Amino acid sequence: MTDIVPSRRQVIAVDIRSQIAAGQLKAGERLPSETRLASRYGVSTSTLRNALALLQSEGLIEKTHGKGNFVAHASRRLTYVGGGRKLLDGSPIDSELRVTVHATHLQAHGHLIPLLRVPANTELTQFLCVRNEGTSPHSVARIYVPRDLQEKNPPCEPPSCANFEARLAGPCPPLAEIRERLTARLPTPEEVEILQISSTLAVLDITRVAIDGTGRVVEAALLVLPSHRADAYFISHPVPEERKRER
């Protein structure tokens, strides 16, 4: 039986991972430039970047655009639970996540028209929400609400992580259905810049649409979560036999 020879990127990742575990590379420490590391390991810069991408996917390395690669601090993981009333939950650790919210008014166009089931140029309010732990961005969400509903049910001011999402998760009239779609993909250039991640790191793309009892879409949320900082769970509840017979 032939032994599997580890690739160069795996060998490099193992070495840097061992240095982090041994404390030789400490949290927050900047790694040498990619050119210097590639020369040290005798590989091309593309191979070196692939090795760093492996470490980033494990949450050990963070790449800051224009500054370089850093050993990551222990960070809070975000948990998305499908069908939940809140969009996101964070694991309890000492430091607190904070959210910045920027609201803009726009007209429905492109993919927003079928997403919200509205005619073209319908007035919408977009909330751009970016979650941060310190200087480290954790997620970005774009939440769209029809303008007439948003004016009846505005978010709390100033918007905080908890009350902002609680307000959007419970619009008036009450929700009858939440539809969700999860995909994994590579980030867009804009997401790379906002989330400060590598362009080779996969992100979780979650589309969440809330529908009221009349069939109207009252909220659409587009969430992007770096795969190394987030978990997503979708839980189904079996229907009792007596309820099945009632249908």
Side-chain angles (χ1 to χ4, degrees):
M1 186 173 181
T2 304
D3 292 334
I4 298 176
V5 179
S7 65
R8 290 296 297 155
R9 70 167 186 166
Q10 291 172 326
V11 171
I12 296 168
V14 167
D15 185 54
I16 296 177
R17 191 184 297 115
S18 299
Q19 293 181 56
I20 294 173
Q24 296 171 346
L25 292 173
K26 302 184 184 303
E29 183 176 341
R30 184 180 184 275
L31 298 181
S33 70
E34 293 178 356
T35 302
R36 287 183 60 189
L37 283 175
S39 176
R40 177 184 301 176
Y41 288 107
V43 297
S44 65
T45 53
S46 62
T47 298
L48 188 279
R49 286 170 184 160
N50 286 336
L52 295 178
L54 284 176
L55 297 170
Q56 188 178 21
S57 68
E58 299 170 9
L60 296 176
I61 295 294
E62 290 184 342
K63 183 171 185 175
T64 301
H65 184 70
K67 295 183 178 180
N69 297 286
F70 296 81
V71 179
H73 292 274
S75 62
R76 173 185 302 227
R77 291 187 69 82
L78 295 174
T79 300
Y80 181 87
V81 180
R85 301 298 290 181
K86 287 187 65 177
L87 298 183
L88 292 169
D89 286 306
S91 303
I93 59 172
D94 293 337
S95 59
E96 292 294 329
L97 288 176
R98 60 184 176 83
V99 63
T100 58
V101 182
H102 179 65
T104 56
H105 299 308
L106 62 128
Q107 295 181 328
H109 62 279
H111 72 288
L112 297 178
I113 296 173
L115 183 67
L116 285 108
R117 303 179 186 171
V118 294
N121 300 322
T122 297
E123 296 292 332
L124 306 174
T125 300
Q126 173 190 266
F127 299 95
L128 176 63
C129 309
V130 181
R131 285 172 174 254
N132 298 273
E133 181 185 351
T135 60
S136 178
H138 271 242
S139 66
V140 59
R142 285 179 173 82
I143 302 172
Y144 299 92
V145 181
R147 184 79 178 276
D148 61 325
L149 286 177
Q150 191 271 326
E151 290 173 346
K152 295 177 185 176
N153 187 41
C156 303
E157 294 293 344
S160 70
C161 181
N163 60 27
F164 181 77
E165 288 186 348
R167 191 77 177 208
L168 288 179
C172 183
L175 299 183
E177 182 181 359
I178 296 177
R179 296 183 180 179
E180 296 163 300
R181 183 186 66 192
L182 168 66
T183 58
R185 59 171 175 79
L186 293 178
T188 65
E190 181 186 22
E191 291 161 355
V192 167
E193 183 175 356
I194 292 176
L195 296 171
Q196 298 179 15
I197 58 176
S198 167
S199 60
T200 61
L201 177 70
V203 295
L204 302 182
D205 182 334
I206 299 171
T207 300
R208 177 182 185 270
V209 177
I211 304 169
D212 69 12
T214 69
R216 182 182 185 185
V217 175
V218 296
E219 169 197 319
L222 309 179
L223 291 84
V224 177
L225 314 175
S227 57
H228 70 301
R229 295 185 189 137
D231 302 300
Y233 297 92
F234 292 82
I235 303 171
S236 59
H237 301 279
V239 178
E241 288 298 324
E242 56 271 18
R243 291 188 58 186
K244 290 181 181 179
R245 289 193 293 266
E246 291 174 359
R247 294 183 175 181

